[in-house]
């Protein structure tokens, strides 16, 4: 059963029975189901051996192409904070909607992928283009994530409670004893629920704590930050005693140069992140359009290859693109099955080939007898906003 969240691409042999197929199908399908012609060129068929080899290989390429498109959509979604309205403005193909690209008389891009090439050459070209897009996106996304991660880490230092956040901008020069040979100021974050205990204990935590030197510097909802003056020689012992009493000594050295440096680094990281965000958004938008077109071209090649293997020559086929209404998916499939059941004798089993082709039938029997509809069908997943 085809998905109700995808556009169906189908192919049937171009003969007397297929004349007027589009209006006939359209008149029978449920309301709101969109149908359009899908141009399938008459490619060079090549040998049966090469067609079967492609038939085995193309599903893997299809999965890779589909995954690449999905990853680009995920990148756009993350860049746009999961905003479906904004996402809809960027998942465009040639500045139009995905549906318009497929459902307004899709045609093969002959100027870019000339049909004079062999099927193998065209698959290789498509694969090379998609691999290039995938590699570029991986590199750009990785670069952006590194810068974004660095910025987030810097910003995180500016947030959180006083036991963990940066003290730059909180502790001033006047709060710290500097350039003293014997004395230093220890900065201690004290849980608010035990501030009273701090005031009672700090002078006696160790020897050589300057009496009445505890001074409140800042507070938040969880902690109060105090500065207390001690002799440098008892620093380690004081830190240990504070830890035992659940007082947190903050490692902080006041430096105007360091403050200026941190501010500059944060500004540079913020600017760089914004620039890379803009670049990645632009690239993702462009590469979505490119990758989606490549995906649909590959689907078209799959239609052709499977049609030749199923219906044989001449290699002329009629293609339709159908966007089913989700609640009428079963009915839509039923209409197609009933209308195209005249193909059953040709699609129930591939006719035995003559001469040398007979040799291939036994070797590829399992592949040639796989289950399928009377018509050839492949799906293009919808872009979920």
């Amino acid at each position: 059963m085809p998905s109700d969240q995808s556009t169906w691409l189908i192919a049937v042999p171009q003969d007397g029975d297929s004349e007027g197929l589009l209006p006939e199908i359209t008149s029978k399908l449920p309301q709101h189901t969109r149908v359009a012609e899908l141009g399938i060129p008459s490619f060079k068929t090549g040998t049966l051996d090469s067609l079967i080899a492609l038939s085995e290989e193309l599903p893997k390429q299809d999965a890779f192409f589909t995954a690449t498109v999905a990853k680009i959509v995920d990148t756009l979604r993350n860049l746009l904070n999961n905003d479906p309205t904004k996402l809809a403005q960027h998942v465009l193909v040639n500045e139009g909607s995905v549906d318009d690209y497929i459902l307004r008389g899709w045609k093969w891009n002959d100027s870019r992928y000339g049909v004079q090439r062999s099927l193998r050459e065209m698959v290789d070209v498509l694969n090379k283009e998609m691999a290039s897009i995938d590699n570029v996106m991986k590199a750009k996304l990785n670069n952006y994530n590194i810068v974004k991660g660095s910025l987030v880490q810097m910003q995180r230092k500016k947030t959180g409670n006083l036991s963990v956040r940066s003290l730059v901008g909180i502790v001033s020069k006047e709060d710290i004893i500097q350039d003293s040979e014997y004395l230093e100021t220890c900065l201690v974050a004290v849980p608010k629920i035990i501030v009273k205990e701090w005031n009672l204990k700090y002078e006696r935590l160790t020897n050589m704590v300057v009496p009445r030197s505890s001074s409140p510097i800042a507070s938040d909802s969880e902690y109060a930050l105090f500065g207390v003056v001690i002799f440098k020689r008892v620093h380690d012992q004081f830190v240990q005693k504070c830890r035992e009493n659940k007082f947190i000594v903050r490692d902080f050295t006041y430096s105007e140069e360091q403050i200026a440096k941190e501010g500059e680094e944060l500004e540079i990281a913020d600017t760089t992140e914004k620039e890379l965000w803009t670049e990645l958004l632009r690239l993702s938008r462009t590469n979505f359009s490119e990758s989606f077109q490549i995906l649909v071209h590959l689907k078209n090649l799959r239609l052709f290859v499977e049609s030749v293997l199923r219906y044989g020559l001449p290699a002329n086929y009629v293609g339709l693109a159908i966007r089913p209404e989700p609640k009428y998916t079963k009915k839509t499939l039923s209409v197609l099955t009933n209308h195209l059941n005249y193909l059953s004798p040709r699609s129930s089993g591939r006719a035995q080939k003559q001469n040398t082709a007979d040799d291939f039938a036994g070797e590829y029997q399992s592949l040639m007898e796989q289950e399928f509809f009377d018509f050839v069908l492949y799906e293009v997943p919808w872009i979920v906003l």
Side-chain angles (χ1 to χ4, degrees), residues 147-165:
V147 173
K148 177 70 173 179
S150 178
L151 176 62
V152 168
Q153 190 173 9
M154 291 181 188
Q155 291 174 332
R156 190 174 290 134
K157 290 180 180 179
K158 298 286 185 182
T159 60
N161 59 51
L162 287 167
S163 70
V164 293
R165 66 169 295 175

Side-chain angles (χ1 to χ4, degrees), residues 128-147:
K128 183 178 179 181
E129 288 188 359
M130 191 65 93
S132 176
I133 288 174
D134 187 49
N135 289 334
V136 168
M137 289 301 301
K138 283 179 181 176
K140 293 293 184 182
L141 182 59
N142 184 57
N143 191 28
Y144 172 74
N145 285 338
I146 290 173
V147 173

Side-chain angles (χ1 to χ4, degrees), residues 58-315:
L58 284 172
K60 299 174 187 176
Q61 303 295 348
D62 194 332
F64 167 58
F65 285 22
T66 302
T68 300
V69 172
K71 284 188 289 185
I72 295 174
V73 174
D74 284 342
T75 298
L76 283 166
R77 187 177 284 112
N78 292 332
L79 291 173
L80 299 169
N81 296 319
N82 292 309
D83 186 325
T85 303
K86 291 180 180 178
L87 181 60
Q89 297 169 2
H90 289 81
V91 286
L92 303 174
V93 180
N94 294 331
E95 298 305 315
S97 72
V98 168
D99 284 347
D100 285 348
Y101 173 68
I102 299 177
L103 297 166
R104 286 194 173 178
W106 186 92
K107 294 186 184 304
W108 183 269
N109 189 342
D110 193 42
S111 62
R112 186 167 176 176
Y113 310 112
V115 295
Q116 72 278 3
R117 292 186 173 117
S118 69
L119 291 172
R120 163 55 59 192
E121 287 177 317
M122 277 190 284
V123 170
D124 289 345
V125 168
L126 292 172
N127 190 54
K128 183 178 179 181
E129 288 188 359
M130 191 65 93
S132 176
I133 288 174
D134 187 49
N135 289 334
V136 168
M137 289 301 301
K138 283 179 181 176
K140 293 293 184 182
L141 182 59
N142 184 57
N143 191 28
Y144 172 74
N145 285 338
I146 290 173
V147 173
K148 177 70 173 179
S150 178
L151 176 62
V152 168
Q153 190 173 9
M154 291 181 188
Q155 291 174 332
R156 190 174 290 134
K157 290 180 180 179
K158 298 286 185 182
T159 60
N161 59 51
L162 287 167
S163 70
V164 293
R165 66 169 295 175
S166 170
L167 298 181
V168 173
I170 295 176
V171 178
S172 66
K173 187 176 181 179
E174 289 71 28
D175 295 320
I176 301 290
I177 292 178
Q178 298 186 84
D179 303 323
S180 171
E181 185 177 351
Y182 299 106
L183 299 175
E184 67 175 348
T185 301
C186 265
L187 301 173
V188 184
V190 180
K192 278 195 164 182
I193 57 174
I194 56 173
V195 165
K196 189 180 232 184
E197 186 178 338
W198 162 260
N199 289 326
L200 291 173
K201 284 186 174 180
Y202 79 90
E203 293 180 350
R204 299 190 300 278
L205 289 173
T206 66
N207 296 323
M208 298 187 168
V209 176
V210 177
R212 300 184 181 179
S213 63
S214 175
S215 172
I217 296 174
S219 66
D220 57 28
S221 60
E222 299 178 66
Y223 287 86
L225 183 68
F226 292 91
V228 59
V229 180
I230 65 172
F231 280 75
K232 291 181 179 180
R233 60 186 295 183
V234 298
H235 175 88
D236 292 344
Q237 185 183 358
F238 182 79
V239 169
Q240 178 61 34
K241 290 295 181 180
C242 282
R243 188 179 296 118
E244 292 172 4
N245 286 273
K246 299 182 180 178
F247 308 141
I248 302 171
V249 177
R250 298 298 312 277
D251 186 14
F252 178 77
T253 302
Y254 184 86
S255 166
E256 292 183 352
E257 291 80 8
Q258 184 63 27
I259 292 173
K261 182 182 178 183
E262 286 189 17
E264 184 180 352
E265 287 176 347
L266 181 60
E267 185 177 348
I268 290 173
D270 186 54
T271 301
T272 303
E273 188 272 339
K274 286 186 171 94
E275 291 174 350
L276 292 179
W277 181 90
T278 302
E279 181 184 356
L280 184 57
L281 182 67
R282 176 193 58 76
L283 186 67
S284 298
R285 179 189 175 109
T286 300
N287 280 340
F288 172 79
S289 177
E290 291 294 311
S291 63
F292 193 85
Q293 291 177 70
I294 295 170
L295 172 64
V296 175
H297 278 76
L298 186 82
K299 297 280 188 182
N300 195 284
L301 276 177
R302 289 194 72 187
L303 283 175
F304 179 83
V305 169
E306 178 60 24
S307 295
V308 175
L309 289 173
R310 188 179 303 191
Y311 307 120
L313 301 175

Side-chain angles (χ1 to χ4, degrees), residues 9-77:
L9 309 182
I10 71 172
V12 299
Q14 185 176 15
D15 51 28
D17 293 323
S18 67
E19 288 184 8
L21 180 62
L22 179 60
E24 290 175 8
I25 288 284
T26 302
S27 65
K28 294 180 179 180
L29 288 173
Q31 193 176 11
H32 304 304
T33 301
R34 293 183 63 182
V35 190
E37 287 188 25
L38 184 78
I40 302 177
S42 295
F43 300 110
K44 295 180 179 179
T45 55
T47 65
L48 178 60
D49 194 10
S50 65
L51 285 170
I52 294 178
L54 280 174
S55 181
E56 292 177 318
E57 176 187 329
L58 284 172
K60 299 174 187 176
Q61 303 295 348
D62 194 332
F64 167 58
F65 285 22
T66 302
T68 300
V69 172
K71 284 188 289 185
I72 295 174
V73 174
D74 284 342
T75 298
L76 283 166
R77 187 177 284 112

